[in-house]
Amino acid sequence: MTKLFDRIIVSSDDSPTFLNFWPCVAKAWQKFFSVKPTLALLSTKNENDALVNKLKTFGDVVIVTPIENVPIPNQAKLARFIVASKMNDEVCMIEDMDTVPLQSKFVVEKLSVRNPNKILAVGHEVYEKDHPGKFPVSNITAKGNDFKKLFNPYGLNDKSLLESFVGLKMLDDKENIANQPSQFSDESLIRGLIHKQNLHHMIQKVERGVDIHRDWIDRSWWGIDKDKLNSGGYILCNFLRPCRENAQHFIPIYEYLYGYLPKASELFIL
């Protein structure tokens, strides 16, 4: 099979809420795609910090230093795109930190149609009625150079790039990274940047085309059919949050991904 992507990039700040998903997320992507995952870590820590070294045992870690006076969750969302923008010709796929694949078929089917010079956007139909032009962040795939054209066309350093997203208002009120987290949407920002950079021609839209209530294990309607899980019938899992506090609900997923029930020391960072 042709390699569909070189990196899967997720992001988190250095608090436990999301960071504890990292070991399982790394395990899942390596299980189904044999690709070492990359964590875009929003943090003031340095490369030699003990926590960073622990994170590196599960995959690659690239630190993005936060700027002041901007909500950390907003910056953490954008850290994955900042890192993707540095990857040159490597093909990067973006995903959420609290999401794991439970099979390979869906991703293979969607990514196999990607034009090499396009940014693949999966699931635009989700927003077509109420938010035309937007599409989900999950599974956005492109070369690093193409992410750079969208997010960092002027080659700014991380600090200047994050600052450039402050105060933006192009197509709606949720593009400004300085908004409160509930009023910021990275999907809105992406739509706005496509408009600003006039890159509509680079976006290759494909339909997600699944019944998420049937095909996903999701925190909004949590429930697991173990037979379906173990036969590869689910596409993905969007975990309950936070991780450690809800881990008892994840036991069937852990057993499916690892082949056994891992110890807490294998599953949690903090």
Side-chain angles (χ1 to χ4, degrees):
M1 184 181 74
T2 303
K3 193 174 185 182
L4 298 174
F5 55 94
D6 301 299
R7 290 180 184 267
I8 169 71
I9 302 179
V10 297
S11 60
S12 176
D13 60 26
D14 52 15
S15 65
T17 299
F18 286 96
L19 208 55
N20 276 329
F21 288 114
W22 174 233
C24 183
V25 165
K27 175 69 176 181
W29 286 106
Q30 290 180 82
K31 175 183 177 70
F32 293 111
F33 297 97
S34 301
V35 171
K36 194 175 186 181
T38 298
L39 170 62
L41 178 66
L42 187 83
S43 178
T44 57
K45 299 183 184 300
N46 62 51
E47 293 285 348
N48 298 316
D49 182 88
L51 174 63
V52 176
N53 283 328
K54 186 175 182 180
L55 294 168
K56 288 179 179 176
T57 63
F58 300 99
D60 292 333
V61 178
V62 182
I63 296 174
V64 176
T65 303
I67 59 174
E68 296 181 353
N69 303 317
V70 171
I72 291 298
N74 300 353
Q75 296 187 66
K77 286 183 176 181
L78 292 188
R80 51 192 167 174
F81 296 104
I82 292 174
V83 170
S85 299
K86 299 177 180 180
M87 294 303 166
N88 301 315
D89 285 332
E90 290 190 44
V91 177
C92 303
M93 185 170 75
I94 304 297
E95 190 49 275
D96 294 326
M97 185 64 164
D98 52 9
T99 297
V100 292
L102 296 175
Q103 45 129 295
S104 61
K105 181 182 177 182
F106 172 81
V107 170
V108 169
E109 183 180 276
K110 300 305 173 186
L111 268 62
S112 62
V113 302
R114 187 183 70 86
N115 183 301
N117 300 311
K118 299 286 187 177
I119 298 173
L120 185 72
V122 179
H124 64 97
E125 77 276 10
V126 175
Y127 294 125
E128 204 162 35
K129 181 179 178 182
D130 297 323
H131 305 282
K134 289 175 66 170
F135 47 83
V137 164
S138 179
N139 303 128
I140 295 176
T141 305
K143 289 181 181 177
N145 289 329
D146 291 328
F147 276 114
K148 184 177 180 181
K149 289 176 185 176
L150 179 58
F151 285 91
N152 192 12
Y154 303 110
L156 302 177
N157 61 34
D158 293 356
K159 181 176 184 293
S160 297
L161 182 57
L162 284 167
E163 290 173 345
S164 76
F165 298 134
V166 173
L168 287 183
K169 187 181 188 305
M170 295 165 284
L171 300 176
D172 68 20
D173 295 320
K174 293 190 173 185
E175 299 155 342
N176 181 4
I177 191 179
N179 286 351
Q180 289 302 307
S182 63
Q183 294 302 310
F184 171 71
S185 166
D186 49 355
E187 294 165 348
S188 286
L189 176 60
I190 290 168
R191 179 179 63 175
L193 292 175
I194 292 168
H195 175 77
K196 182 180 180 181
Q197 259 56 282
N198 194 24
L199 294 177
H200 300 88
H201 65 284
M202 285 189 62
I203 309 303
Q204 179 184 353
K205 296 180 178 181
V206 297
E207 290 194 0
R208 188 162 66 190
V210 299
D211 180 345
I212 58 175
H213 292 89
R214 182 192 67 206
D215 298 330
W216 290 6
I217 299 171
D218 193 276
R219 55 184 159 270
S220 298
W221 54 83
W222 190 263
I224 300 174
D225 179 331
K226 292 183 182 179
D227 290 336
K228 183 173 181 175
L229 171 66
N230 292 320
S231 64
Y234 287 114
I235 290 172
L236 57 79
C237 171
N238 290 320
F239 284 118
L240 299 162
R241 300 191 299 249
C243 179
R244 183 186 279 269
E245 291 80 350
N246 285 289
Q248 71 272 19
H249 301 296
F250 309 154
I251 288 174
I253 296 169
Y254 291 149
E255 292 177 333
Y256 172 63
L257 293 175
Y258 287 79
Y260 61 94
L261 181 59
K263 298 177 182 178
S265 58
E266 294 178 74
L267 289 172
F268 309 124
I269 296 293
L270 296 169

